[in-house]
Amino acid sequence: PSLSLPFFLPPLRFFLRQQKKIKMASHIVGYPRMGPKRELKFALESFWDGKSTAEDLQKVSADLRSSIWKQMSAAGTKFIPSNTFAHYDQVLDTTAMLGAVPPRYGYTGGEIGLDVYFSMARGNASVPAMEMTKWFD
């Protein structure tokens, strides 16, 4: 008498052989943007206090984005997300991207500068910040 394998084993062997050829791809939705030593927080506070320039803030931001992308790449992340960085928050970024700036901030079109951007977020001496809505309590 011949020994026959259970009916599911030959397909299972084929399946397992095929699995060795498939490589796993990884992706993440976002990544903490403050930096490992809260570099963005300190750069923002320095900028808001007038102790550093917009160029200093942009440099810290660019360095953090580059560092984050390199960390994700080194970790083997195949699909690295883009446009996840925000100086304040993603809702404000979307508002700025759409140009939905209330008239009280004096925006006349074109690129929205950091002065208008942070005035919308935090207010300033002459105008209050935009209303913050909590969608989920």
Side-chain angles (χ1 to χ4, degrees):
S2 66
L3 293 174
S4 62
L5 296 173
F7 72 94
F8 60 86
L9 283 182
L12 182 60
R13 280 192 207 147
F14 175 77
F15 176 76
L16 292 175
R17 267 187 266 137
Q18 295 302 313
Q19 291 302 306
K20 293 177 185 176
K21 297 176 185 176
I22 298 173
K23 290 190 176 187
M24 182 68 79
S26 62
H27 169 70
I28 60 173
V29 177
Y31 198 87
R33 67 182 190 272
M34 286 295 156
K37 296 180 181 170
R38 299 183 305 162
E39 294 90 342
L40 181 60
K41 175 190 183 298
F42 296 125
L44 284 168
E45 290 172 348
S46 177
F47 175 72
W48 292 335
D49 290 342
K51 297 176 183 173
S52 64
T53 66
E55 290 78 24
D56 296 333
L57 177 59
Q58 296 289 14
K59 169 103 173 73
V60 169
S61 301
D63 290 347
L64 276 173
R65 284 191 301 270
S66 176
S67 168
I68 288 167
W69 291 335
K70 288 176 184 173
Q71 288 173 15
M72 285 190 275
S73 179
T77 305
K78 183 173 183 179
F79 302 107
I80 297 174
S82 63
N83 203 28
T84 60
F85 183 87
H87 283 108
Y88 202 81
D89 70 27
Q90 284 82 6
V91 174
L92 181 61
D93 281 1
T94 303
T95 302
M97 179 181 67
L98 296 173
V101 180
R104 69 178 180 255
Y105 297 104
Y107 173 67
T108 57
E111 185 176 338
I112 295 176
L114 290 176
D115 55 337
V116 173
Y117 179 86
F118 287 124
S119 291
M120 291 185 341
R122 306 177 75 231
N124 63 36
S126 60
V127 293
M130 292 178 63
E131 181 181 334
M132 182 172 59
T133 301
K134 291 186 178 181
W135 296 101
F136 303 102
D137 290 330

